[in-house]
């Protein structure tokens, strides 16, 4: 997606540890006009798959998922990182290792909000090692549902996540794939 690539070139900052910082338009301040275009792109690709729900993970995936959901006209469910008293008990839970924070934690989704009738589109902001997306796919499987696909804003193609998910048969659509970001220079895959 050309618009997203241009924005990453303009405002993205390459940080130590293979981190791309995009908090001026995606992760902190959110450019909703850009999100709208991203949602449209996801819909163009996955719109004919009979998606019944969008599943994401808090926090950064939520905004993108919500705007995309307007095109699909389906609810958004987000996996919670922090257990809350009011949904304790009947939950699907998986362990996810955070790429940015370097630690593992359980994410949960209430059993009430996913079922075997669901055909779920997973959406997230970044794809690095694929742990978050794989965890979300596992939750869908636990619920007996199907994964319609995985929509990612920015895939870091030099990390293993995209390749692994595709090798497992998941249809991954990334709007921008970063091929390398050595010495602060961001190069995209065509
Ligand atoms: P994975 O689970 O694929 O290793 O990492 C994906 C998750 O880590 C995303 O949910 C995202 O929040 C975070 N993440 C991974 N790489 C980056 C990055 O370069 N920049 C930012 N801002 N977040 C990242």
């Amino acid at each position: 997606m050309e618009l997203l690539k241009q924005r990453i070139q303009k405002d993205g900052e390459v940080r130590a540890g293979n981190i791309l910082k995009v908090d001026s338009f995606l992760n902190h301040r959110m450019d909703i006009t850009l999100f709208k275009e991203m949602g449209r792109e996801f819909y163009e690709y996955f719109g004919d798959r009979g998606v019944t729900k969008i599943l994401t993970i808090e926090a950064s995936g939520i905004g993108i998922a919500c705007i995309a959901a307007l095109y699909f006209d389906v609810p958004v469910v987000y996996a919670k990182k922090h257990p809350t008293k009011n949904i304790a008990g009947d939950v699907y839970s998986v362990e996810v290792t955070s790429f940015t924070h370097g630690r593992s934690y359980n994410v949960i989704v209430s059993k009430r909000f996913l079922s075997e009738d669901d055909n779920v589109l997973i959406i997230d902001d970044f794809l690095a090692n694929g742990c978050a997306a794989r965890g979300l796919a596992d939750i869908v499987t636990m619920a007996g549902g199907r994964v319609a696909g995985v929509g990612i804003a920015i895939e870091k193609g030099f990390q293993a996540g995209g390749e692994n998910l595709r090798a497992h048969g998941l249809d991954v659509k990334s709007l921008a794939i970063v091929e390398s970001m050595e010495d602060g220079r961001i190069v995209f895959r065509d």
Side-chain angles (χ1 to χ4, degrees), residues 1 6 21-23 42 50 62 81 105 123 139 143 149 161:
M1 179 185 168
Q6 284 168 10
K21 199 162 181 242
V22 288
D23 62 355
F42 285 134
I62 296 175
K81 290 178 178 166
Y105 48 85
I123 283 189
I139 285 179

Side-chain angles (χ1 to χ4, degrees), residues 18-22 27 57 60 81 96-100 124-133 156 159 161 181:
N18 282 335
I19 299 278
L20 177 60
K21 199 162 181 242
V22 288
N27 286 145
I57 183 164
S60 309
K81 290 178 178 166
V96 167
T97 302
S98 163
F99 178 78
T100 39
D124 204 4
D125 59 341
F126 271 91
L127 180 57
N129 293 325
C131 195
K156 289 183 292 180
Q159 293 180 284
M181 40 187 217

Side-chain angles (χ1 to χ4, degrees), residues 55 92 94 114-116 118 120 122 134-147 170:
L55 178 65
Y92 300 111
V94 291
L114 280 180
S115 80
E116 72 249 22
D118 280 318
V120 179
I122 291 167
R134 210 168 44 243
L136 295 177
D138 287 346
I139 285 179
V140 175
T141 306
M142 283 177 204
R146 283 177 297 136
V147 178
L170 291 170

Side-chain angles (χ1 to χ4, degrees), residues 1-12 20 22 25-26 31 34-35 37-39 41-42 64 124-126 152-155 173-178 186 188:
M1 179 185 168
E2 218 38 58
L3 198 63
L4 178 60
K5 289 186 194 170
Q6 284 168 10
R7 194 61 183 272
I8 295 168
Q9 287 291 15
K10 183 167 158 275
D11 294 326
L20 177 60
V22 288
F25 61 96
L26 202 94
D31 182 337
L34 179 66
F35 280 25
E37 291 310 312
M38 286 162 48
E41 291 272 332
F42 285 134
I64 301 166
D124 204 4
D125 59 341
F126 271 91
I152 298 289
I154 306 171
E155 174 178 342
K173 169 71 179 170
S174 299
L175 302 183
I177 303 183
V178 177
I186 300 166
F188 294 102

Side-chain angles (χ1 to χ4, degrees), residues 10 45 49 52 61 75 86-87 103 105 121-122 127-128 138 162:
K10 183 167 158 275
Y45 191 82
R49 309 278 177 94
T52 61
N86 46 355
I87 58 165
R103 64 184 180 90
Y105 48 85
L121 174 62
I122 291 167
L127 180 57
D138 287 346

